[in-house]
Amino acid sequence: MRADARAILRKSDVSNQCQAVCRLVVNFTFFYSIQKIVLPPDTKPFIGVYTVEGLAYLRFLEVKLVKGQLLISLNGQLDVFVLNYTKPLTFTIIFPPSLTCVNKFIFGVENDLVVFDSPSNVDGLCDKFTMYSASPSGKTFFYRARD
């Protein structure tokens, strides 16, 4: 077999593998889209803009309350995660149904834990949260942007 024919076959195999992964993501997304999203008793401590250092593709995340869900917006442009409350200060990440299959594959951290620090005694806001799969190195810390 010629080298160019082998390259086409390899590309086709990669395409088939990507399609299979996307089908899995869609199936999982359907399951989670029917899952009930739980809010914490008080959402105020979590809402705000959080900055990060060392992730080239990411300047900040914004946690906001939209239509009864806590969403995480990437660089203020794309709502990429829904925060699902599991216990005090702890959430799991769920993809919103509106996110494309490609983006779900790229962000690939569904069900990852997000753990906030305790709210400040001064203003009642959380100053930091930890995300465990935001970078290949493991834990990533996001710090509240303060004026």
Side-chain angles (χ1 to χ4, degrees), residues 54-134:
L55 296 179
Y57 61 92
L58 185 59
R59 294 186 329 265
F60 67 92
L61 293 177
E62 181 181 4
V63 178
K64 55 190 176 179
L65 185 62
V66 178
K67 297 181 182 177
Q69 295 181 336
L70 277 176
L71 298 179
I72 293 183
S73 175
L74 178 72
N75 294 330
Q77 297 176 352
L78 179 63
D79 296 336
V80 292
F81 305 120
V82 176
L83 290 177
N84 194 27
Y85 181 73
T86 58
K87 62 184 179 180
L89 304 176
T90 305
F91 297 81
T92 56
I93 290 175
I94 295 176
F95 292 129
S98 59
L99 201 62
T100 67
C101 180
V102 171
N103 282 335
K104 289 174 184 174
F105 181 72
I106 290 169
F107 297 123
V109 291
E110 187 151 53
N111 262 343
D112 191 21
L113 287 179
V114 173
V115 180
F116 285 82
D117 280 5
S118 295
S120 162
N121 291 331
V122 175
D123 60 9
L125 302 177
C126 296
D127 284 317
K128 180 176 88 172
F129 72 84
T130 306
M131 189 180 283
Y132 291 87
S133 293

